[in-house]
Amino acid sequence: MTPITIEMVQQRAEADARTYGYYLNPDAKFLQSLLEGLKRNEERYGYPSCPCRLASGKFDYDRDILCPCDYRDPDVQEFGACYCGLYVRKDVYEGKTELQPVPERRPVEKQARAYGTAVSPAATGATAKEEVEKVPEPKKKLWYCAQCGYVVFRDEPPYVCPICKAKREFFVEIKTQIEFSG
Protein backbone atom coordinates (compact mmCIF):
# COMPACT_ATOMS: atom_id res chain seq x y z
CA MET A 1 0.00 0.00 0.00
CA THR A 2 1.30 3.43 -0.94
CA PRO A 3 2.01 5.65 2.08
CA ILE A 4 -0.30 8.63 2.42
CA THR A 5 1.42 11.98 1.92
CA ILE A 6 0.31 15.50 2.76
CA GLU A 7 0.46 16.26 -0.96
CA MET A 8 -2.01 13.45 -1.70
CA VAL A 9 -4.37 14.67 1.01
CA GLN A 10 -4.14 18.25 -0.25
CA GLN A 11 -4.72 17.24 -3.89
CA ARG A 12 -7.81 15.27 -2.90
CA ALA A 13 -9.17 18.19 -0.85
CA GLU A 14 -8.41 20.69 -3.63
CA ALA A 15 -10.11 18.50 -6.24
CA ASP A 16 -13.19 18.17 -4.06
CA ALA A 17 -13.24 21.91 -3.37
CA ARG A 18 -13.04 22.70 -7.11
CA THR A 19 -15.80 20.20 -7.89
CA TYR A 20 -18.22 21.89 -5.50
CA GLY A 21 -17.15 25.51 -5.98
CA TYR A 22 -15.34 25.83 -2.67
CA TYR A 23 -11.82 26.84 -1.70
CA LEU A 24 -9.41 25.55 0.90
CA ASN A 25 -8.73 27.78 3.88
CA PRO A 26 -6.41 30.63 2.80
CA ASP A 27 -4.40 30.57 6.06
CA ALA A 28 -1.47 28.35 4.99
CA LYS A 29 -0.41 27.40 8.54
CA PHE A 30 -3.97 26.54 9.61
CA LEU A 31 -4.57 24.64 6.36
CA GLN A 32 -1.40 22.63 6.92
CA SER A 33 -2.58 21.58 10.40
CA LEU A 34 -5.95 20.45 9.00
CA LEU A 35 -4.28 18.45 6.23
CA GLU A 36 -1.95 16.82 8.75
CA GLY A 37 -4.99 15.90 10.87
CA LEU A 38 -6.69 14.30 7.86
CA LYS A 39 -3.53 12.38 7.02
CA ARG A 40 -3.12 11.19 10.60
CA ASN A 41 -6.75 10.06 10.79
CA GLU A 42 -6.51 8.19 7.50
CA GLU A 43 -3.34 6.43 8.67
CA ARG A 44 -4.88 5.67 12.07
CA TYR A 45 -8.37 4.52 11.00
CA GLY A 46 -8.02 3.68 7.32
CA TYR A 47 -10.38 6.48 6.30
CA PRO A 48 -10.09 10.28 6.24
CA SER A 49 -12.29 11.30 9.16
CA CYS A 50 -12.81 14.97 9.90
CA PRO A 51 -9.67 16.51 11.45
CA CYS A 52 -11.68 18.59 13.93
CA ARG A 53 -13.84 15.84 15.43
CA LEU A 54 -12.98 12.83 17.51
CA ALA A 55 -13.48 9.69 15.42
CA SER A 56 -14.41 6.38 17.00
CA GLY A 57 -12.41 4.18 14.65
CA LYS A 58 -15.65 2.42 13.68
CA PHE A 59 -16.46 3.26 10.08
CA ASP A 60 -20.24 2.90 10.49
CA TYR A 61 -20.27 5.32 13.43
CA ASP A 62 -17.99 7.79 11.67
CA ARG A 63 -19.56 7.66 8.21
CA ASP A 64 -21.12 11.11 8.63
CA ILE A 65 -17.75 12.69 9.50
CA LEU A 66 -15.68 11.31 6.60
CA CYS A 67 -14.09 14.34 5.02
CA PRO A 68 -15.83 16.06 3.40
CA CYS A 69 -18.40 15.43 6.12
CA ASP A 70 -22.18 15.39 5.68
CA TYR A 71 -22.40 18.78 7.35
CA ARG A 72 -19.95 20.64 5.10
CA ASP A 73 -22.38 21.91 2.48
CA PRO A 74 -24.98 23.38 4.85
CA ASP A 75 -22.18 24.85 7.00
CA VAL A 76 -20.41 26.50 4.05
CA GLN A 77 -23.72 27.78 2.73
CA GLU A 78 -24.81 29.27 6.05
CA PHE A 79 -21.53 30.27 7.71
CA GLY A 80 -19.02 30.54 4.85
CA ALA A 81 -16.91 27.59 6.06
CA CYS A 82 -17.26 24.02 7.23
CA TYR A 83 -17.03 23.21 10.95
CA CYS A 84 -13.24 22.83 10.96
CA GLY A 85 -12.63 25.59 8.41
CA LEU A 86 -10.99 23.41 5.76
CA TYR A 87 -13.53 24.31 3.06
CA VAL A 88 -14.60 27.93 2.62
CA ARG A 89 -16.73 30.01 0.27
CA LYS A 90 -15.14 32.34 -2.26
CA ASP A 91 -15.90 35.49 -0.23
CA VAL A 92 -14.11 34.04 2.81
CA TYR A 93 -11.19 32.87 0.65
CA GLU A 94 -10.81 36.35 -0.84
CA GLY A 95 -10.95 38.00 2.60
CA LYS A 96 -14.23 39.83 1.89
CA THR A 97 -15.97 37.98 4.72
CA GLU A 98 -14.32 37.13 8.02
CA LEU A 99 -14.24 33.49 9.06
CA GLN A 100 -16.70 32.98 11.90
CA PRO A 101 -17.27 30.10 14.32
CA VAL A 102 -19.48 27.33 12.98
CA PRO A 103 -21.74 25.54 15.46
CA GLU A 104 -21.66 21.74 15.60
CA ARG A 105 -24.42 20.17 13.47
CA ARG A 106 -23.56 16.59 14.26
CA PRO A 107 -26.45 15.22 16.32
CA VAL A 108 -25.68 14.56 19.98
CA GLU A 109 -26.86 10.97 19.60
CA LYS A 110 -24.27 10.28 16.90
CA GLN A 111 -21.55 11.85 19.01
CA ALA A 112 -22.52 9.75 22.03
CA ARG A 113 -22.55 6.50 20.04
CA ALA A 114 -19.27 7.27 18.28
CA TYR A 115 -17.46 8.41 21.41
CA GLY A 116 -18.90 5.67 23.60
CA THR A 117 -19.82 8.19 26.25
CA ALA A 118 -22.89 9.87 27.56
CA VAL A 119 -23.39 13.43 26.52
CA SER A 120 -25.03 14.57 29.74
CA PRO A 121 -25.64 11.87 32.33
CA ALA A 122 -26.17 14.51 35.01
CA ALA A 123 -29.24 15.76 33.17
CA THR A 124 -31.04 12.44 33.53
CA GLY A 125 -29.40 11.04 36.65
CA ALA A 126 -28.25 8.01 34.66
CA THR A 127 -24.72 6.68 34.56
CA ALA A 128 -22.61 7.24 31.47
CA LYS A 129 -22.94 3.56 30.54
CA GLU A 130 -26.74 3.72 30.83
CA GLU A 131 -26.84 6.84 28.67
CA VAL A 132 -24.77 5.19 25.91
CA GLU A 133 -26.98 2.11 26.01
CA LYS A 134 -30.03 4.34 25.40
CA VAL A 135 -28.61 5.53 22.09
CA PRO A 136 -29.90 3.12 19.43
CA GLU A 137 -27.53 1.37 17.08
CA PRO A 138 -27.70 2.92 13.62
CA LYS A 139 -30.18 1.07 11.42
CA LYS A 140 -29.09 1.42 7.83
CA LYS A 141 -31.65 1.99 5.10
CA LEU A 142 -31.55 2.57 1.37
CA TRP A 143 -32.18 6.21 0.43
CA TYR A 144 -32.99 7.43 -3.09
CA CYS A 145 -32.54 11.01 -4.33
CA ALA A 146 -35.76 11.77 -6.18
CA GLN A 147 -34.02 14.50 -8.17
CA CYS A 148 -31.06 12.61 -9.70
CA GLY A 149 -31.42 8.94 -8.74
CA TYR A 150 -28.41 8.72 -6.41
CA VAL A 151 -28.81 5.81 -3.96
CA VAL A 152 -27.06 5.52 -0.62
CA PHE A 153 -27.12 2.89 2.16
CA ARG A 154 -26.89 4.47 5.60
CA ASP A 155 -28.89 5.29 8.72
CA GLU A 156 -30.25 8.60 7.40
CA PRO A 157 -30.06 10.53 4.14
CA PRO A 158 -27.25 13.06 3.63
CA TYR A 159 -28.02 16.75 4.23
CA VAL A 160 -27.21 17.43 0.58
CA CYS A 161 -27.03 15.02 -2.35
CA PRO A 162 -23.36 14.71 -3.36
CA ILE A 163 -24.37 14.42 -7.02
CA CYS A 164 -27.03 17.06 -7.69
CA LYS A 165 -26.96 19.10 -4.43
CA ALA A 166 -30.65 18.42 -3.72
CA LYS A 167 -31.59 18.97 -0.10
CA ARG A 168 -32.21 16.13 2.34
CA GLU A 169 -35.98 16.46 1.81
CA PHE A 170 -35.57 15.06 -1.72
CA PHE A 171 -34.42 11.69 -0.37
CA VAL A 172 -36.97 8.90 -0.10
CA GLU A 173 -36.45 5.66 1.79
CA ILE A 174 -36.51 2.58 -0.41
CA LYS A 175 -38.43 -0.16 1.34
CA THR A 176 -37.08 -3.65 0.71
CA GLN A 177 -38.13 -7.20 1.50
CA ILE A 178 -34.56 -8.00 2.52
CA GLU A 179 -33.33 -7.06 5.99
CA PHE A 180 -29.87 -5.49 5.86
CA SER A 181 -27.60 -5.78 8.87
CA GLY A 182 -25.17 -3.01 9.78
Side-chain angles (χ1 to χ4, degrees):
M1 184 173 171
T2 307
I4 301 160
T5 66
I6 288 288
E7 292 76 24
M8 291 167 58
V9 173
Q10 184 164 357
Q11 287 172 357
R12 186 172 55 215
E14 286 172 343
D16 188 73
R18 275 192 308 276
T19 299
Y20 293 102
Y22 301 138
Y23 296 82
L24 297 185
N25 194 300
D27 180 331
K29 190 174 179 181
F30 184 66
L31 175 61
Q32 184 68 23
S33 70
L34 292 171
L35 296 172
E36 287 171 4
L38 275 171
K39 177 183 180 291
R40 190 173 328 125
N41 285 347
E42 191 165 356
E43 290 169 342
R44 181 182 297 153
Y45 304 119
Y47 50 88
S49 66
C50 187
C52 58
R53 292 182 173 100
L54 180 62
S56 69
K58 298 174 185 164
F59 182 80
D60 284 340
Y61 291 169
D62 296 340
R63 185 182 307 247
D64 63 321
I65 61 169
L66 296 183
C67 188
C69 72
D70 287 358
Y71 316 106
R72 178 195 64 184
D73 294 336
D75 284 349
V76 172
Q77 231 174 25
E78 187 173 346
F79 299 103
C82 65
Y83 182 65
C84 62
L86 176 61
Y87 295 98
V88 298
R89 277 191 323 234
K90 184 177 183 179
D91 57 316
V92 173
Y93 180 78
E94 293 175 344
K96 295 176 183 173
T97 304
E98 193 173 315
L99 193 61
Q100 58 181 327
V102 178
E104 175 65 277
R105 280 185 202 267
R106 192 176 195 207
V108 173
E109 301 79 31
K110 286 189 176 194
Q111 293 178 50
R113 176 57 61 196
Y115 305 154
T117 62
V119 175
S120 177
T124 63
T127 66
K129 185 175 189 269
E130 290 168 339
E131 282 292 314
V132 171
E133 288 170 356
K134 286 182 189 177
V135 179
E137 286 288 329
K139 182 170 171 50
K140 292 189 205 131
K141 303 171 187 172
L142 280 172
W143 296 97
Y144 168 78
C145 176
Q147 185 163 309
C148 73
Y150 173 72
V151 176
V152 64
F153 181 60
R154 53 192 293 173
D155 54 333
E156 33 182 79
Y159 278 88
V160 177
C161 177
I163 306 301
C164 70
K165 296 297 186 195
K167 293 185 177 177
R168 170 177 248 175
E169 294 78 34
F170 280 84
F171 280 84
V172 178
E173 182 182 352
I174 299 172
K175 301 286 186 183
T176 63
Q177 299 275 328
I178 301 168
E179 185 68 29
F180 292 102
S181 63

